[in-house]
């Protein structure tokens, strides 16, 4: 038979509940030799008091109770019942009123942290043997605290970890907000191209969703959005810096390039005399430069190439790829890009690409997915333009399974575009033909 001598019921009109009975059963299963530092346990309980539903005043009463335990270590060998009177408890609890004291003692019992062991007349006292040792005591048993010590420490550790996470997240959020605000301020002061007022409005709307008393999950969601926005702002500002660097390089080499072109002109088409008016019947200077350059680069197409030798996209546009050296890349309608590269739609905002801004946003996601470094993509944007670079990313996504190194391939296309040897039209038309779009339009 199970030993039931540990079961005790309250005195007088106090009611007995199944919860109290369960606490007594749990307290009877304390491991032999288990001992707990009472003040470490009390500090852990203060940390986890919201889990157990006890107030700070109730903890003050428990602190006074623990002060009556003669040892610093709670163990069954030393006995776990304390029996101070309400008057003594009130003094050690900083003069708490008797009615308030009884209410908080009842709260500790209901929370399963104390067990009443009442005497026949409800008084708290201890009966001693002939040697002066305590034979039996009536009062409050601390066995429930010892039995639930592991649970209390676990809750305290979790709450402390959550508090640290909240603190760190708040710090990261503050730094991220500061970075975005100052970066936008720089862009507005420098009058950098882009809709910075819209970006500032987006930043303010995201920051405005932070609640007054935030939970860790609320801050984590806001932090993710702000970090994405900070990344977008940095990409745009890096693009501005790269453009300035490129302009500085071009200004340094401009005189050299002009002298080289003039030398080629004089070598290929010497003038009949000096200070004479230009002959409009002769070939324009730009055509002379083009022919001379084609002669020095045998692999490039010349203006004399038969029309039938041109690819189908070049016949449609009526220009050669080499002609783009003196002009920016030709952009194509967004609708044609979406028709030729339908896979890009899945990477747009909310699964839609309805504007060039949506396409450029999707291109950033595709860049990360294809493991293309930000610097390589930024260089493509500087050379081709943001819209054309996003179009190239959509084409690369459509043919991703045939590209071994996406970063190297984009770097190669950027170099060709910089030299005027690349056009987007053939790439789009090839994808359109592969999907049968041109045949449907022709039919």
């Amino acid at each position: 038979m199970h030993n039931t001598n540990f079961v005790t019921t309250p005195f007088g009109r106090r009611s007995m509940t199944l919860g109290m009975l369960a606490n007594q059963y749990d307290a009877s299963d304390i491991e032999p030799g288990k001992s707990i530092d009472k003040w470490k346990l009390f500090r852990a309980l203060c940390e986890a008091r919201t889990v157990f539903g006890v107030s700070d005043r109730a903890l003050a009463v428990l602190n006074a109770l623990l002060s009556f335990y003669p040892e610093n270590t709670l163990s069954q060998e030393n006995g776990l019942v304390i029996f101070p009177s309400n008057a003594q408890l009130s003094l050690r609890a900083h003069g708490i009123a008797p009615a308030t004291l009884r209410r908080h003692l009842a709260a500790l019992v209901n929370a399963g942290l104390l067990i009443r062991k009442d005497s026949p007349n409800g008084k708290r006292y201890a009966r001693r043997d002939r040697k002066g040792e305590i034979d039996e005591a009536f009062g409050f048993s601390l066995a429930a605290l010892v039995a639930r010590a592991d649970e209390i420490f676990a809750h305290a550790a979790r709450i402390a970890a959550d508090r640290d996470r909240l603190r760190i997240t708040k710090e990261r959020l503050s730094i991220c907000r500061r970075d975005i605000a100052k970066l936008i301020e720089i862009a507005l002061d420098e009058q950098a191209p882009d809709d910075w007022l819209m970006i500032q409005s987006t930043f303010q709307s995201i920051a405005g969703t932070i609640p007054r008393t935030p939970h860790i999950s609320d801050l984590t969601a806001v932090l993710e959005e702000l970090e994405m926005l900070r990344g977008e702002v940095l990409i745009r500002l890096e693009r501005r810096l790269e453009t300035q660097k490129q302009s500085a390089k071009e200004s340094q080499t401009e005189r050299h390039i002009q002298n080289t072109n003039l030398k080629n002109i004089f070598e290929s088409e010497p003038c009949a005399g000096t200070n004479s008016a230009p002959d409009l019947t002769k070939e324009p200077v730009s055509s002379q430069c083009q022919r001379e350059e084609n002669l020095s680069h045998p692999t490039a197409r010349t203006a004399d190439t038969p029309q039938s030798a041109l690819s189908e996209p070049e016949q449609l546009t009526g220009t050669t790829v080499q002609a783009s050296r003196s002009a920016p890349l030709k952009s194509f309608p967004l609708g044609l890009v979406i028709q030729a590269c339908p896979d890009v739609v899945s990477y747009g905002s909310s699964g839609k690409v309805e504007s060039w801004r949506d396409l450029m946003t999707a291109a950033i996601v595709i860049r990360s997915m294809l493991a293309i470094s930000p610097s390589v993509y930024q260089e493509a944007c500087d050379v081709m333009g943001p819209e054309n670079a996003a179009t190239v990313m959509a084409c690369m996504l459509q043919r991703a399974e045939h590209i071994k190194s996406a970063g190297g391939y984009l770097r190669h296309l950027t170099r060709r575009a910089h030299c005027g040897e690349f056009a987007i039209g053939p790439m789009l038309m090839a994808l359109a033909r592969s999907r049968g779009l041109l045949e449907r339009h022709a039919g």
Side-chain angles (χ1 to χ4, degrees):
M1 293 180 61
H2 295 289
N3 183 16
T4 58
N5 292 332
F6 62 87
V7 176
T8 179
T9 57
F11 170 78
R13 296 182 179 180
R14 300 190 189 102
S15 59
M16 180 72 176
T17 64
L18 288 177
M20 294 179 183
L21 184 61
N23 289 334
Q24 293 182 26
Y25 273 101
D26 293 339
S28 66
D29 293 332
I30 298 175
E31 299 175 2
K34 184 176 182 179
S35 60
I36 303 293
D37 187 296
K38 65 179 181 180
W39 298 123
K40 288 184 179 180
L41 182 60
F42 177 74
R43 286 191 292 270
L45 184 59
C46 291
E47 186 77 64
R49 67 183 181 86
T50 56
V51 177
F52 296 93
V54 291
S55 64
D56 52 349
R57 298 294 300 277
L59 289 174
V61 173
L62 180 60
N63 180 74
L65 279 171
L66 290 175
S67 67
F68 284 98
Y69 192 80
E71 306 293 336
N72 283 333
T73 301
L74 300 176
S75 64
Q76 281 188 319
E77 286 74 10
N78 297 328
L80 292 172
V81 178
I82 51 179
F83 40 89
S85 65
N86 283 354
Q88 292 173 320
L89 267 178
S90 179
L91 288 175
R92 294 200 184 184
H94 310 290
I96 189 172
T100 306
L101 176 65
R102 288 192 296 269
R103 185 172 67 251
H104 289 309
L105 286 172
L108 291 171
V109 172
N110 293 332
L113 302 174
L114 289 179
I115 296 175
R116 290 184 184 273
K117 188 178 180 183
D118 289 346
S119 64
N121 59 1
K123 302 293 184 181
R124 301 176 199 144
Y125 60 89
R127 187 171 57 245
R128 301 178 182 272
D129 57 16
R130 292 180 180 272
K131 296 180 180 180
E133 300 292 335
I134 296 178
D135 183 33
E136 190 171 8
F138 299 96
F140 293 104
S141 173
L142 303 176
L145 277 176
V146 178
R148 304 184 68 178
D150 295 339
E151 178 188 357
I152 293 171
F153 283 124
H155 284 301
R158 178 183 58 79
I159 291 174
D162 289 344
R163 185 176 60 250
D164 290 340
R165 283 182 55 210
L166 182 62
R167 176 180 54 81
I168 294 172
T169 304
K170 284 183 176 180
E171 291 175 354
R172 291 177 57 192
L173 186 62
S174 298
I175 294 174
C176 190
R177 291 176 66 181
R178 182 187 66 197
D179 291 346
I180 295 174
K182 290 187 177 293
L183 291 173
I184 293 177
E185 183 180 354
I186 292 173
L188 292 174
D189 291 343
E190 297 291 334
Q191 296 182 351
D194 265 324
D195 192 355
W196 291 104
L197 292 178
M198 184 274 293
I199 296 176
Q200 188 178 48
S201 177
T202 302
F203 165 60
Q204 291 173 351
S205 63
I206 295 175
T209 60
I210 302 176
R212 186 178 297 274
T213 55
H215 188 265
I216 182 65
S217 59
D218 301 329
L219 293 183
T220 302
V222 174
L223 180 60
E224 290 178 356
E225 293 187 39
L226 288 180
E227 286 181 339
M228 291 179 61
L229 181 61
R230 180 174 60 180
E232 178 67 19
V233 169
L234 287 174
I235 288 175
R236 293 171 186 263
L237 290 178
E238 288 173 5
R239 184 184 307 162
R240 172 67 173 173
L241 293 176
E242 291 295 332
T243 303
Q244 291 178 348
K245 291 180 182 179
Q246 188 68 25
S247 299
K249 290 180 181 178
E250 290 176 355
S251 64
Q252 292 174 2
T253 59
E254 185 176 0
R255 181 177 297 276
H256 174 72
I257 294 174
Q258 289 177 351
N259 291 339
T260 303
N261 288 340
L262 290 174
K263 181 180 178 181
N264 291 338
I265 292 173
F266 292 140
E267 289 179 354
S268 60
E269 297 288 342
C271 295
T274 59
N275 300 330
S276 59
D279 189 352
L280 299 178
T281 62
K282 292 185 178 182
E283 185 178 8
V285 174
S286 60
S287 299
Q288 297 172 14
C289 296
Q290 181 68 44
R291 189 176 71 247
E292 180 66 19
E293 187 175 13
N294 289 334
L295 289 174
S296 63
H297 297 81
T299 57
R301 292 194 181 97
T302 66
D304 298 330
T305 304
Q307 185 71 9
S308 60
L310 298 178
S311 64
E312 179 180 354
E314 292 166 348
Q315 294 179 18
L316 292 175
T317 59
T319 60
T320 63
V321 176
Q322 187 69 22
S324 63
R325 184 185 295 252
S326 58
L329 281 178
K330 179 181 178 181
S331 298
F332 289 82
L334 180 63
L336 176 60
V337 176
I338 300 303
Q339 289 181 356
C341 311
D343 292 352
V344 74
V345 176
S346 302
Y347 296 86
S349 178
S350 302
K352 296 184 293 184
V353 175
E354 298 177 342
S355 64
W356 283 108
R357 184 178 298 276
D358 292 342
L359 183 63
M360 288 186 285
T361 302
I364 296 175
V365 180
I366 296 170
R367 174 196 67 74
S368 301
M369 187 194 71
L370 296 181
I372 299 174
S373 66
S375 60
V376 172
Y377 180 65
Q378 185 60 50
E379 183 180 1
C381 291
D382 294 339
V383 175
M384 304 179 187
E387 293 84 359
N388 288 330
T391 302
V392 171
M393 293 301 298
C395 295
M396 291 177 61
L397 173 69
Q398 200 67 29
R399 300 284 291 173
E401 67 274 9
H402 302 288
I403 301 174
K404 293 183 179 180
S405 173
Y409 183 64
L410 181 59
R411 190 181 292 108
H412 172 68
L413 296 182
T414 302
R415 284 198 298 264
R416 290 186 58 195
H418 182 70
C419 297
E421 299 174 356
F422 171 67
I424 299 178
M427 183 181 292
L428 278 177
M429 297 304 172
L431 290 172
R433 280 196 302 271
S434 67
R435 301 188 65 248
L437 295 177
L438 296 181
E439 289 77 0
R440 288 201 295 271
H441 286 300

